[in-house]
């Protein structure tokens, strides 16, 4: 039995925040770099309804049969991904980059979000002067979700208005996730070739990094 490469099927899903991400935003830049990337399109970009947004993300993923995903989310889109993780932990998400999450308390939805590790690897990128979420709160959510935590310093809301057209960190992150998936696939294939299983495809369990760790 031949297993399809996890890396070949690992696609980028862009999940913008309120009002979508314009042409000068780093999410648009990142999307342009990756063939097969897909952007979630919300029905109402002006209203932050986390339930409806999470359902739209789920529907977008489910419409692309057989794909696995790396997710790059921004602002309220990060909250939609966190809610999605609680509602649909079975969805084929390999990892998620959560950049400048909005404060859940501003929308009265903190109780709807997970208070425990998410079911996939996450990296949370925050700023010390983000008007949408304080750095200590960002670190607290990263700890609850067991996310790798990255502090960009005084970077505002990490959007086009704060000077983030390109965001090289995001491109490196996507590349790193794909490289890890490739190594896992190669390790699984070598194990199968050596007769270590019954011929079924499998992937080794992903190690969960410690809260606050970044590498």
């Amino acid at each position: 039995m031949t297993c399809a490469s996890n890396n070949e099927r690992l696609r980028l899903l862009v999940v913008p925040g309120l009002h979508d991400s314009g042409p000068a935003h780093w999410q648009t830049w990142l999307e342009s770099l990756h063939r097969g990337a897909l952007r979630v399109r919300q029905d109402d970009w002006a209203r932050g309804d986390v339930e409806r947004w999470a359902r739209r993300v789920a529907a977008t993923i489910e419409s692309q049969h057989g794909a696995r995903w790396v997710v790059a989310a921004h602002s309220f889109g990060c909250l939609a991904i966190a809610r999605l993780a609680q509602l649909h932990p079975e969805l084929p998400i390999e990892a998620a980059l959560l950049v400048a999450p909005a404060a859940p308390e501003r929308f009265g939805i903190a109780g709807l979000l997970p208070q425990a590790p998410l079911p996939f690897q996450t990296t949370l990128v925050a700023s010390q002067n983000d008007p949408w979420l304080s750095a200590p709160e960002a670190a607290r959510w990263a700890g609850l979700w067991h996310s790798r935590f990255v502090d960009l310093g005084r970077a505002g809301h990490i959007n086009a208005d704060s000077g983030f057209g390109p965001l090289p960190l995001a491109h490196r992150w996507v590349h790193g996730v794909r490289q890890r998936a490739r190594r896992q696939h190669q390790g699984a294939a070598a194990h199968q070739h050596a007769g270590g299983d019954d011929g079924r495809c499998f992937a080794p369990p992903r190690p969960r990094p410690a809260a606050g760790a970044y590498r």
Side-chain angles (χ1 to χ4, degrees), residues 46-130:
R47 181 167 171 255
D49 183 331
V50 74
E51 295 285 340
R52 182 172 295 178
W53 280 45
R55 288 197 299 269
R56 176 51 64 93
V57 177
T60 302
I61 290 175
E62 290 167 348
S63 73
Q64 305 291 310
H65 302 292
R68 289 191 63 80
W69 299 92
V70 290
V71 176
H74 181 254
S75 195
F76 193 83
C78 300
L79 308 187
I81 291 300
R83 182 60 176 157
L84 176 76
Q86 192 166 45
L87 294 173
H88 297 287
E90 77 286 353
L91 286 174
I93 296 174
E94 184 76 16
L97 183 69
L98 309 175
V99 179
E105 291 79 6
R106 287 196 178 196
F107 301 89
I109 60 171
L112 295 177
L113 302 184
Q115 309 288 313
L118 301 187
F120 40 79
Q121 291 182 345
T122 54
T123 295
L124 193 153
V125 183
S127 164
Q128 294 177 7
N129 63 337
D130 188 343

